[in-house]
């Protein structure tokens, strides 16, 4: 495996990858830690000393598999906390090792600040701890994917490591390995299966930052174009007779808020364009400013569908939305078949908009 990673690194121009840590061996003591939680507290092993069993789940914000298991992890807490089981989740991922195009199933990256948002949005009933940037604690446990479970007995010796169950999609599981292990330990019985394989996104260890950084060079090479569009063309865009969810941003080079928020749209394009998603920008600059608009788009690396409108701007406004007062920027999010899911005059809330996009196109496979 290490040889393969070194070859891959040389092909894509990355200096080196370290070998990934191996999972903690069955029977090993739980490595101690001191990690910040999204609730503002610092947690270590001693905080769970009264629990009969400790479950440590390595998971994260961005992974679709991790998101598919969030509610099941919450249900584990509901079902087993009264029986003396403590559960904590740790994000092992270095946020600087995650590329934007790896965020196609989420609204949030793996930074500590955005973990706090996920903790609040999903109302997690367990501590959600951050081990990014160095991943030192995670390396001691050796998770292979998100999610990855480690279960320790009352003496904090590892009794099980592996998956939660055998079905990624909610409701599809037939074998509930984590529950089976907990039931066995609570009844002083042998664990039926001590180790299983995991399935999910790879861990984004800090040594993979150069891989994420390489994306900037790839995106810089993408072609940026600007085409003219008429009122009829705009009306056709609004019909959205495609299978894609269509995000339309209307802007101009002279509009300060447009310029400020534009990079968020570039990021969203990179995040979601490999899904059923399309970003379209429409400039309302005058025709003689078309070179300036193209220059701006090129600087921002906006390799998406970019248009500049030619025609009566007031008719354009009515075509877009008769309720729109005409102030820029203006943003629309349209489902396949023309249903408008979002319409906003003024600067967007990028996290709120990403949440709507992720919820609309889907968070799991």
């Amino acid at each position: 495996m290490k040889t393969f990673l070194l070859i891959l690194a040389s092909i894509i121009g990355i200096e080196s990858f370290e070998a990934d840590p191996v999972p903690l061996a069955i029977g090993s003591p739980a490595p101690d830690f001191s990690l910040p939680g999204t609730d503002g507290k610092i947690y270590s092993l001693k905080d769970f000393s009264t629990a009969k069993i400790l479950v440590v789940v390595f998971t994260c914000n961005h992974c679709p598999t991790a998101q598919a298991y969030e509610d099941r992890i919450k249900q584990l807490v509901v079902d087993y906390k009264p029986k003396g089981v403590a559960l904590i989740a740790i994000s092992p991922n270095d946020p600087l090792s995650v590329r934007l195009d790896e965020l196609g199933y989420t609204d949030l990256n793996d930074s500590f600040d955005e973990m706090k948002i996920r903790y609040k949005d999903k109302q997690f009933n367990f501590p959600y701890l951050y081990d990014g940037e160095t991943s030192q604690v995670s390396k001691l446990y050796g998770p292979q994917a998100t999610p990855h479970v480690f279960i320790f007995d009352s003496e904090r010796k590892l009794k099980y490591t592996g998956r939660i169950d055998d079905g990624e999609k909610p409701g599809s599981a037939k074998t509930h390995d984590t529950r089976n292990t907990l039931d066995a330990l609570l009844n002083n019985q042998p664990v039926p299966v001590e180790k299983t394989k995991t399935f999910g996104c790879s861990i984004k260890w800090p040594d993979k930052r150069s891989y994420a950084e390489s994306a900037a060079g790839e995106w810089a090479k993408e072609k940026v174009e600007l085409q003219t569009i008429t009122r009829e063309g705009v009306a056709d865009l609004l019909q959205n007779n495609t299978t894609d969810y269509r995000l339309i941003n209307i802007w101009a080079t002279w509009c300060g808020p447009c310029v400020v928020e534009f990079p968020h749209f570039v990021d969203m394009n990179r995040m979601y364009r490999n899904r059923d998603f399309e970003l379209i920008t429409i400039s309302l600059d005058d025709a003689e400013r078309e070179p300036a608009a193209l220059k701006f788009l090129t600087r921002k690396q906006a390799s998406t569908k970019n248009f500049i409108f030619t025609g009566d701007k007031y008719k354009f406004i009515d075509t877009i939305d008769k309720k729109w007062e005409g102030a820029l920027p203006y943003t629309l999010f349209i489902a396949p078949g023309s249903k408008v899911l979002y319409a906003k005059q003024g600067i967007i809330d990028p996290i709120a908009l990403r949440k709507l996009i992720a919820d609309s196109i889907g968070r799991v496979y």
Side-chain angles (χ1 to χ4, degrees):
M1 181 65 177
K2 186 173 182 179
T3 301
F4 169 75
L5 290 174
L6 290 173
I7 294 172
L8 176 61
S10 66
I11 292 173
I12 61 178
I14 297 174
E15 293 182 3
S16 66
F17 283 129
E18 296 178 8
D20 287 348
V22 298
L24 194 67
I26 296 297
S28 299
D32 201 359
F33 52 83
S34 179
L35 294 173
T38 51
D39 58 359
K41 301 176 183 178
I42 302 294
Y43 289 89
S44 63
L45 273 182
K46 66 181 181 181
D47 294 307
F48 309 96
S49 59
T50 61
K52 296 178 182 178
I53 300 170
L54 176 63
V55 181
V56 181
V57 184
F58 288 87
T59 187
C60 69
N61 278 354
H62 88 272
C63 174
T65 313
Q67 292 181 82
Y69 277 99
E70 287 173 341
D71 288 338
R72 274 172 278 183
I73 295 172
K74 288 174 62 178
Q75 192 61 46
L76 283 171
V77 176
V78 171
D79 294 342
Y80 287 95
K81 184 176 181 179
K83 300 177 182 180
V85 176
L87 184 148
I88 62 174
I90 299 175
S91 177
N93 288 347
D94 171 25
L96 297 180
S97 295
V98 185
R99 290 169 50 124
L100 281 172
D101 51 8
E102 292 178 300
L103 303 179
Y105 287 79
T106 184
D107 52 326
L108 301 171
N109 62 38
D110 289 341
S111 71
F112 188 39
D113 285 342
E114 297 201 11
M115 284 174 60
K116 294 176 183 178
I117 296 172
R118 177 60 55 78
Y119 175 80
K120 183 178 179 181
D121 282 353
K122 291 293 294 185
Q123 298 183 333
F124 285 160
N125 53 2
F126 51 84
Y128 189 24
L129 314 183
Y130 179 60
D131 189 34
E133 298 176 18
T134 66
S135 306
Q136 289 181 349
V137 171
S138 302
K139 290 177 181 178
L140 298 176
Y141 284 80
Q144 301 299 293
T146 49
H148 192 156
V149 176
F150 294 78
I151 300 179
F152 298 88
D153 65 11
S154 59
E155 297 179 353
R156 297 301 177 260
K157 297 296 177 66
L158 183 64
K159 294 297 181 180
Y160 171 80
T161 175
R163 65 194 183 188
I164 294 174
D165 57 41
D166 66 345
E168 177 191 358
K169 292 185 178 181
S172 67
K174 295 181 174 60
T175 304
H176 301 273
D177 303 274
T178 291
R179 286 178 174 272
N180 292 342
T181 298
L182 294 176
D183 292 340
L185 291 174
L186 289 169
N187 288 289
N188 297 314
Q189 296 175 353
V191 173
V193 178
E194 293 181 334
K195 184 176 181 178
T196 68
K197 294 184 182 297
T198 58
F199 179 79
C201 301
S202 62
I203 307 301
K204 305 305 183 287
W205 303 109
D207 67 281
K208 294 180 173 61
R209 286 183 184 179
S210 54
Y211 170 65
E213 291 167 358
S214 68
E218 298 173 23
W219 295 327
K221 297 175 184 177
E222 294 178 351
K223 190 173 184 180
V224 177
E225 297 179 312
L226 179 61
Q227 307 173 54
T228 59
I229 191 169
T230 63
R231 184 183 178 190
E232 291 73 23
V234 170
D236 185 60
L237 290 180
L238 297 177
Q239 288 301 310
N240 193 16
N241 294 317
T242 73
T243 58
D244 290 336
Y245 286 81
R246 180 170 282 171
L247 182 63
I248 300 176
N249 174 239
I250 303 167
W251 67 284
T253 57
W254 44 262
C255 165
C258 301
V259 172
V260 169
E261 72 173 3
F262 199 87
H264 291 298
F265 290 102
V266 175
D267 286 349
M268 282 184 262
N269 180 53
R270 291 169 177 171
M271 288 171 65
Y272 302 117
R273 65 184 180 179
N274 293 323
R275 305 285 310 283
D276 294 329
F277 173 86
E278 180 182 42
L279 172 64
I280 294 172
T281 78
I282 303 176
S283 169
L284 288 190
D285 285 285
D286 292 336
E288 62 268 19
R289 288 192 56 79
E290 181 175 344
L294 178 58
K295 183 178 181 180
F296 173 85
L297 292 166
T298 302
R299 284 179 173 174
K300 298 301 180 182
Q301 299 179 5
S303 56
T304 182
K305 285 188 178 179
N306 303 304
F307 296 99
I308 185 167
F309 177 72
T310 57
D312 187 314
K313 288 183 174 60
Y314 292 96
K315 291 182 179 179
F316 171 88
I317 292 168
D318 283 341
T319 300
I320 291 291
D321 184 353
K322 293 187 181 298
K323 296 180 181 179
W324 177 23
E325 296 293 339
L328 293 179
Y330 193 80
T331 303
L332 288 167
F333 185 52
I334 306 172
S338 77
K339 182 179 180 180
V340 176
L341 303 178
Y342 176 94
K344 170 70 173 172
Q345 175 179 282
I347 202 161
I348 60 165
D349 177 341
I351 291 180
L353 183 51
R354 293 195 321 245
K355 187 175 190 296
L356 175 60
I357 294 170
D359 288 341
S360 298
I361 61 179
R363 294 176 178 269
V364 300
Y365 293 120

